[in-house]
Each structure stands twice: as structure tokens, then as C-alpha cells.
Amino acid sequence: MSQTTTLTLLPQCNGLTTGTKQPAACYYVAGKTLQTLNWKLIALLGTVVIQGTLVDDPQLDTDWFPVYNIVCTGGNNNGGTIQNPAINYANINGNFAWLRAVVSVYTSGSVEYLKVTY
């Protein structure tokens, strides 16, 4: 029987934010590369970037690279609305040591949560 791990990359927040680094799937099990992101956004206009690193102890922003972008504009409705929040998921594959999420562009709205499961 396999065990599932769920970690929070971003808790409830609004504004430009960098989440706490969390161990990626490969951190514990070599060769495990499939990870599922899931999120809930409320009327968000902005961009959330999921970043990965191969560095054991990342200290610098240059240690991180983009893995997945959630781009929310008024036209694409990816950020949801107050009445109908956007609840979605995406699978990412990669041999990462750590993952984190960064709200790199922000106009309005909020992130209720962004989690990774493996």
C-alpha cells in the first residue's frame, strides 16, 4: 500500500508572496517524478509560478526555475470569481528536490490554497 503526501505550497494569501519550500516527491523516493498541484483561487488577477530546484539546500532565488505557471486574467477566468472560485489541478513531472510557489504578478483577488500531492 502506498502512502500519499500533501504539502501546502501557498496558504491563504493575497499580494506578492513567496511560499515556503517543500520537499518534492523525489526528495524522499528517488525516481518518483509525478506530482499533482491543486489550488483554489478567488477572483485572482495575477500569475502564480511553481518553481523547482535540484539544489539540496537552496538559499538564492537563482537556485530556482519555473516548473508551471497559473496565469489568471480577466479574459481567461483561471482565477475564478467571488461567487465561483477556481478550483483546479495540474500534474507535473520532474526530478526536483524542492518545490515552492511564488505569486509573481498581482493585481487583485486571493489564493485560498495551493498544494502539492505525491
Side-chain angles (χ1 to χ4, degrees):
M1 189 163 143
S2 65
Q3 179 180 346
T4 301
T5 300
T6 300
L7 301 168
T8 300
L9 296 177
L10 277 178
Q12 185 178 20
C13 63
N14 56 21
L16 300 173
T17 305
T18 299
T20 304
K21 69 180 181 181
Q22 298 291 350
C26 196
Y27 184 87
Y28 293 114
V29 180
K32 188 169 184 176
T33 60
L34 178 63
Q35 293 142 112
T36 301
L37 304 170
N38 63 83
W39 60 85
K40 180 178 180 181
L41 309 175
I42 298 179
L44 183 69
L45 294 177
T47 301
V48 181
V49 180
I50 310 307
Q51 297 177 330
T53 186
L54 304 175
V55 178
D56 288 336
D57 186 20
Q59 300 294 319
L60 307 171
D61 282 339
T62 55
D63 292 335
W64 298 90
F65 53 88
V67 173
Y68 189 83
N69 292 329
I70 305 169
V71 179
C72 305
T73 66
N76 69 15
N77 201 34
N78 286 346
T81 65
I82 292 173
Q83 293 81 15
N84 295 305
I87 300 172
N88 213 335
Y89 74 95
N91 289 323
I92 58 172
N93 278 295
N95 189 13
F96 314 114
W98 299 92
L99 291 171
R100 73 177 184 180
V102 177
V103 179
S104 61
V105 176
Y106 178 81
T107 302
S108 62
S110 66
V111 174
E112 285 298 298
Y113 61 80
L114 196 157
K115 299 178 182 182
V116 61
T117 302
Y118 50 83

